[in-house]
Amino acid sequence: MFTGLVQGTATIERLTRVGQSIDLQIEFPVFDSAIEMGESIAIDGCCLTVTAIDGSHLTFQAGDETLAKTTLGGFTSGRRINFERALRLSDRLGGHLVSGHVDCTGSVASRIDDGNWSTIGFQLPANFMRQIAAKGSIAVNGVSLTVVDKLAEGFTVALIPHTLAETNLGSLAIGDRVNLETDMLAKYVQQLIEPFQTAAKLAE
């Protein structure tokens, strides 16, 4: 589990194809020596396992399912990624509960820069729109954000200067793809009410 409070950004050094998977070697500028093999770290919101440690260089493996359903399949060397270590039970929950299991990818549909702030609009697949609520929580590339407005085919968020500077969301441009994880509560509510909605339609 994660909070969506990104701890920093890191740079992808090398990607190596291994069968149907990819090994990602990432250099962490601020390295925590307490990181251990097998630890879970969110990379742009996608929970990955540390498979090798060489100083401040960590290696992760992403399988074909991850590559197909997240933006990781389009990663290239030199890309700046957001990272967050897994939540400890004693930590403050400053963001919202994030599982690191990306629901879908979306794309930047609009961007309005107003002084030091930016309002960015995202499009996402229609079947995930029911899990979006105005003033609800959303994780974009692993960053915990609040939905400002729910639109017909997406939503908007307002990014403060700190988020723009300290995460890779500041460099987003129209058309860029991002990893999205909807609010955990929304998923369970949808799962609970869908059988009743189906039964109601059949009874009509």
Side-chain angles (χ1 to χ4, degrees), residues 162-176:
H162 177 80
T163 303
L164 293 169
E166 300 300 325
T167 75
N168 63 14
L169 301 187
S171 62
L172 288 177
I174 292 176
D176 285 349

Side-chain angles (χ1 to χ4, degrees), residues 68-125:
K69 294 192 174 181
T70 73
T71 60
L72 272 68
F75 280 8
T76 56
S77 298
R79 180 188 174 98
R80 182 185 177 211
I81 57 92
N82 299 322
F83 73 87
E84 180 189 354
R85 295 183 66 187
L87 177 69
R88 297 173 296 190
L89 290 178
S90 60
D91 287 339
R92 289 187 177 91
L93 186 59
H96 72 282
L97 287 175
V98 177
S99 69
H101 301 155
V102 173
D103 291 303
C104 64
T105 61
S107 61
V108 178
S110 63
R111 175 166 180 162
I112 300 174
D113 297 315
D114 184 8
N116 293 328
W117 288 63
S118 294
T119 299
I120 300 182
F122 297 93
Q123 287 185 328
L124 70 160

Side-chain angles (χ1 to χ4, degrees), residues 4-27:
L5 299 183
V6 169
Q7 294 170 307
T9 61
T11 303
I12 296 179
E13 286 191 315
R14 185 170 66 247
L15 298 95
T16 306
R17 172 68 68 174
V18 182
Q20 297 299 311
S21 65
I22 286 181
D23 282 352
L24 297 91
Q25 186 178 72
I26 301 176
E27 181 182 10

Side-chain angles (χ1 to χ4, degrees), residues 24-77:
L24 297 91
Q25 186 178 72
I26 301 176
E27 181 182 10
F28 289 75
V30 180
F31 180 72
D32 188 339
S33 60
I35 292 176
E36 299 178 348
M37 286 281 292
E39 182 171 333
S40 294
I41 296 179
I43 303 298
D44 263 8
C46 183
C47 180
L48 298 179
T49 301
V50 177
T51 59
I53 300 175
D54 181 11
S56 61
H57 307 270
L58 303 184
T59 300
F60 304 85
Q61 190 170 64
D64 55 352
E65 177 77 2
T66 299
L67 297 175
K69 294 192 174 181
T70 73
T71 60
L72 272 68
F75 280 8
T76 56
S77 298

